[in-house]
Each structure stands twice: as structure tokens, then as C-alpha cells.
Amino acid sequence: MAERLLQASRQRRVKAMTAAAGSAGRAAVPLLLCALLVPGGAYVLDDSDGLGREFDGIGAVSGGGATSRLLVNYPEPYRSQILDYLFKPNFGASLHILKVEIGGDGQTTDGTEPSHMHYALDENYFRGYEWWLMKEAKKRNPNIILMGLPWSFPGWLGKGFNWPYVNLQLTAYYVMTWIVGAKHYHDLDIDYIGIWNERSFDINYIKVLRRMLNYQGLNQVKIIASDNLWEPISASMLLDSELLEVIDVIGAHYPGTHIVKDAKLTKKKLWSSEDFSTVNSDVGAGCLGRILNQNYINGCMTALLDIYILITSSFGIYLLSNQPFSTIAWNLVASYYEQLPYGRCGLMTAQEPWSGHYVVESPIWVSAHTTQFTQPGWYYLKTVGHLEKGGSYVALTDGLGNLTIIIETMSHKHSKCIRPFLPYFNVSHQFATFVLKGSFSEIPELQVWYTKLGKPSTRFLFKQLDSLWLLDSSGTFSLELQEDELFTLTTLTTGGKGSYPLPPKSQPFPRIYKDDFDVDYPFFSEAPNFADQTGVFEYFTNIEDPGEHRFTLRQVLNQRPITWAADAYNTISIIGDYKWSNLTVTCDVYIETPEKGGVFIAGRVNKGGILIRGARGVFFWIFANGTYRVTGDLAGWIIYALGHVDVTAKTWYTLRLIIKGRFSSGMLNGRYVWTNIPVSFPKNGWAAIGTHSFEFAQFDNFHVEATS
């Protein structure tokens, strides 16, 4: 048997050398050789002196905000295919961690996500789509780690202040109910809970939250803080022993692959709890490929110089450390209107539920280089580091004989993340020799997976190459490395590049679109394709109305939330094609607030997300006090026309807005209120509905027809 293995090894080696020599003129065909003496760096991978940090996994964020909004509207089988690419093991990104927003009713980047408690005596654990998404992730990977984090909070928690720490017990109770509701209504076990995304933390609140969780029997739920920078949370923990005890993970956002000394001194888990945020082109994939390795490597090197022994040699870098590490990408899937802030900053793109079209972008396959060949609970080797001519390598083991090595050579130009600033570095062609020692010296074979980013003519995404046989090479092998490449070499044979038939072709949003909201038992609380930007618009049933308006869409917030971003003072939900210019918007509206209430329909709305307060467009308003207004912006500063109309609260009216070229007109109940008002800016944008303030109002029989 041994002789046959040795013979097979020699045959494979000769075949590899012959193929490599014959391919010298072909780009993007890597050269992998065993025991070949070549110039360049040599790197030892050894576990003889123990292991490095525990690996906690690779994940992504749904939320912050409304980034998965359009995904739920996808028809089958495309929706399930997208979910498979994200979560199914050994298929696509195969994520280990899913972090979701605890909806707080506020604008949190690309929209609002509904709270499970809009009001003090209100509880509903079926709003939004994050519950559904977590269940779908668990269905595909029962071991996936689940995290929850608030961005905004419902206004009642602030008792008149834009601050969640007015009543610490009340806010802790609110977060605790979300965790309990996840288990009671959806059988979801939340593993980690955060404090307040990228905003101030309150030391006493963190302690109160821990006591609240323990009192409810949720001792297993771990706390991560502060989802901002490494400081001041790390220093606070070192100065407060109780705080140090109750925080399980220090989470930093966009650390630039570096960790500060105080964070290391806490000896807590250290996570890049939000990272990436880059357009999912090959540059974005390069960003992700670089940080998935170097978040660990550079973070260790920066801090270890002061507090650990650092041994360097020509064979690599030995890191004596045992703190776990993880990286979580924002965002999971770009499933929101592309012209909103940070368009296409997801691991893949799924922003056309009306057509079924989606794109499996290169970050999916860059993630797979790590996620498919590691698991939370594996350990990094101490022998990891940078390559001599640029790039980096890490190696992980399950402690049971399996080994996975990930090598990246991302160039500076093609791996810039959206933040932070990336100092210049150089990557050039090189040969790298790796020597397996310790328990890995007897490994007979490594599976090889390869990615080359860049020009289409030389591009490969997650391609499996011939295995590398090591039986007669003394555990030594060499690789030829070019710029912008990724290699995974692993003992695991379970990896796979999943695929489905091509989805339907991309199509613009339908030019004629109608929704009467006549859904008796909606699966999701929001109507398809409406993207709430301030406020929350939900399906509503008028129990006392047996007629045409029994089922409507209702704006349900009656006070401003505790904001994370610059929410508008008016509520608004957008829909449609940002390129629309000439369009007619018709909608039945119902003002619920006497005298002070008001509603609008709009077209050519040109901004959303965190920019919503500055949105321009054409807005047709009516008010319960019997007036109307036409404005060129959401805030109402640019007034085109105003006057009196026969309008009151608690009566249904039909509004129609007509925009054609440089002019617009408006109708109320089939009669013109104003005609041919000049509107030179903006030239295009979404349709929208909304209210004058945070007030109850209803909408029905929405209809938009665009001619261009």
C-alpha cells in the first residue's frame, strides 16, 4: 500500500512539474511543487510549541439597516438559492456567524427596521424579517452563531430624551424580551448580545443587562461591547473588575487590522465585529481577502510587541497568544435599492425581487476560502505572518490532525476597503516554500483551492486544483505567487463550489405597479418593495371597516425613535426605480390625527438612508386642517404651491401626482388642485408615501405608472 502511495505521489509530482513548465506563458495558472529548491521566503507551520488563538468564525451583518429588505420578496426558488449561497455549508460563503439588527424603528443606514415593541405595552415578535432570516440560516447550518445588536431604540424608552440609558432597567428589559421572544416564538437561541452600535456605552447599563439576563435564566447569552472602537471600552474594563467580568467579547469596527494594547491586556475575545463595507467588486473581494487574514496577523503583531514574547525567524512569525478572534462583514447581502447609501456593499447582490435576478459576487468565494475549511473552535497556529514580498498566510487546525492554510497576495490598489485609510505596501511575484512540522509533518496530501482576482481573461473564483502530494517531500512544498491571488491548502475534502442554473436576467422595476394591500394573514409585516426610510409602514386590518379599505398599509409610529442616524421629522417609505422621471403616482390616503395630521405622496425622491432628511423631489401634501402644499423637498422648505382644500381627518381621499418633463400637477378625488407647476430638479428618483410627523395614517390602492 505504501509503495503504491509513493508511486502515485511521484507521478503526481512529475505531472505537476510538467504542467507548470508548459504553462509558463499562461497567466493565472499557479505553480505548486513539492520539495523543489527555489529562491524566496521559507515559512514553517508547526504546532510543536502549542497553538495560537481560538478561531471564533467568520460572519456577516443583516441590518444597520434594512440591508436584507428586498430579499424576503424574492420568489422561489431564487430566494432559497440566495440563502444557500450565504449559509449552506460547503456550498458558498458558508458563514459561521449571523449578526442581526434588533429593530428599533429608526433609520440605521439604508432604512428602518421595526421594533418588537413600538410602544410600552406592545409586543409582537413577528415584525420584520430578521426572525425569518435567522431561522433560514439555522435551517441550513444548525451550528451557526446568532448575534443581536440594537442600532436605534423605540422612542418610549427615552421618556422624552434621545437617549437609551434614561432608565437602565427598562432598556435592559426591552433587549431581554427580544432574546426571550426569539426563543419562545421562533426556537432561536441567541448566543451574543450587543449594547448600542457605534454609539456611547453606559458601564452601569452593561452590568444591569448582565444581571437581567442572568435573572431570566439567560446566563449562556454572552455580551459583546462596545461595537465601536477598541477604546474607551478596553481601558474601562481594565479599571473596573465587575465590567471586565460581565463583558465576554470586545468588538471593534473597522480596526484596520490592528488591535490596541489595552484590548489585549483584558485577555477577552477580540473581534472585528463589523468590517468590509466595500462595494462587492473584485476590489471589495480583495479587501475582504486581505482583512480575513490580516485582522488576525497584524492585530497580534501590533499588541504582542509590548506584552508577549515575539519570536521571528526566516521561517515565519511565532505568536504566543490564546485569545479568540473573529471577523464579521457588513453587510450580508446587498438587498436594498442600489442608490441608497453604500449600494452593493454586501457579500452578494440580490436587489431585484420583481425579476428574480441576483449575482453571486466574488466576496462569496473569497469568504469560502476560509469558512469552508475551518470552523469555530479551531485554533490558529502560532506560526503565521506576512510573506517576504507582500501578502500573508495563516494556518488553522482542529487539533485532530486537520490543517488549513490560507495564503493571500492582495495588492494595495485592488484591496482597499472603504475604511480605514490603507497605508501603501507592495506585493510582487514570489516563490514561497512552506515546511510542515510537528504533528503536520506526516500529512500525505493537501487539497488546493485557488482564486485569482482582476482581469476577466485571467480571473478564477474558488477553483479546485489538483491535490498536492507530500509523501516524499518531507512536508515541504513551494508555491509560485502572483498579485491578487488566494490559495487554500487543506486536509479537508468536503469543500465545494455550489451552483444553480443562472437566475433570470436583470429587469428594471415594473413601470406599472399596483398594490391594494389586501393580505389577510401576511407572512411579513411590510408590503413588498416598500423601503421605509423614516417611520414604519405595516400591513393593517380595519376590523370596523368591512368595505374597500379593510386591508391597508399603516404608518404605526406615534413618536420619534431614539435615533442612530439623522432620521427625517416626517415619515417616508420609498419604492420603485430611481431612474424614473415621468410618472403618475396615485394612492388612497387616510389621516388619523385631527387638525395636525398630514400625509403625502411623492415622485423623483432623490435621497434615502442616512441622507433622507435632505431628500428632494416633488411632494404633494394634504392636511387635516383643510390645506394642501406642494414642496420640492421632504423637509418642506421649498414650497411650490399651497392653498385650501376640502380635507379633514378620518376620511378617505384619493391623491394623484403627475410629473412630466419640467412640470407637475396634482389631483384630489379626481379634480385638479394645481397644474403645471415647474419642477426642474431633481430629474429622477423613487416614488414615495409618508406622513407629516410621527403619526398614524393609512394608505391603500397604491398605483404608479412611469413612462420614462
Side-chain angles (χ1 to χ4, degrees), residues 512-550:
I512 300 176
Y513 184 82
K514 300 179 181 180
D515 197 335
D516 59 13
F517 311 119
D518 287 353
V519 182
D520 199 352
Y521 297 101
F523 193 71
F524 297 107
S525 59
E526 300 113 322
N529 304 322
F530 280 90
D532 303 345
Q533 300 302 303
T534 295
V536 174
F537 295 74
E538 296 180 349
Y539 282 119
F540 181 69
T541 302
N542 289 312
I543 299 176
E544 298 179 358
D545 186 343
E548 180 184 4
H549 301 296
R550 180 172 176 81

Side-chain angles (χ1 to χ4, degrees), residues 259-273:
I259 299 172
V260 302
K261 179 180 177 180
D262 280 354
K264 294 287 298 177
L265 286 171
T266 66
K267 298 183 181 179
K268 293 290 183 175
K269 294 183 177 184
L270 305 176
W271 288 8
S272 178
S273 54

Side-chain angles (χ1 to χ4, degrees), residues 313-334:
S313 75
S314 60
F315 292 103
I317 297 173
Y318 290 69
L319 299 169
L320 306 185
S321 169
N322 60 1
Q323 289 172 290
F325 202 81
S326 175
T327 296
I328 301 174
W330 185 89
N331 58 69
L332 175 72
V333 53

Side-chain angles (χ1 to χ4, degrees), residues 71 94 165 208 282 294 363 392 405 426 452 513 649 656 696:
L71 175 61
S94 306
Y165 306 130
V208 168
D282 273 15
Q294 296 194 30
S392 66
I405 308 161
N426 185 58
K452 171 72 173 179
Y513 184 82
R656 176 168 293 176
F696 298 130

Side-chain angles (χ1 to χ4, degrees), residues 401-454:
N402 283 307
L403 176 69
T404 290
I405 308 161
I406 304 116
I407 302 161
E408 60 83 19
T409 57
M410 298 299 126
S411 64
H412 182 274
K413 181 179 180 180
H414 296 118
S415 71
K416 291 182 181 179
C417 302
I418 198 169
R419 66 177 76 86
F421 171 76
L422 180 64
Y424 181 76
F425 59 86
N426 185 58
V427 177
S428 58
H429 174 252
Q430 60 190 302
F431 286 88
T433 298
F434 292 86
V435 182
L436 305 185
K437 290 195 172 183
S439 68
F440 310 122
S441 60
E442 302 298 322
I443 289 176
E445 179 183 11
L446 291 172
Q447 309 294 312
V448 182
W449 292 83
Y450 173 69
T451 286
K452 171 72 173 179
L453 301 173

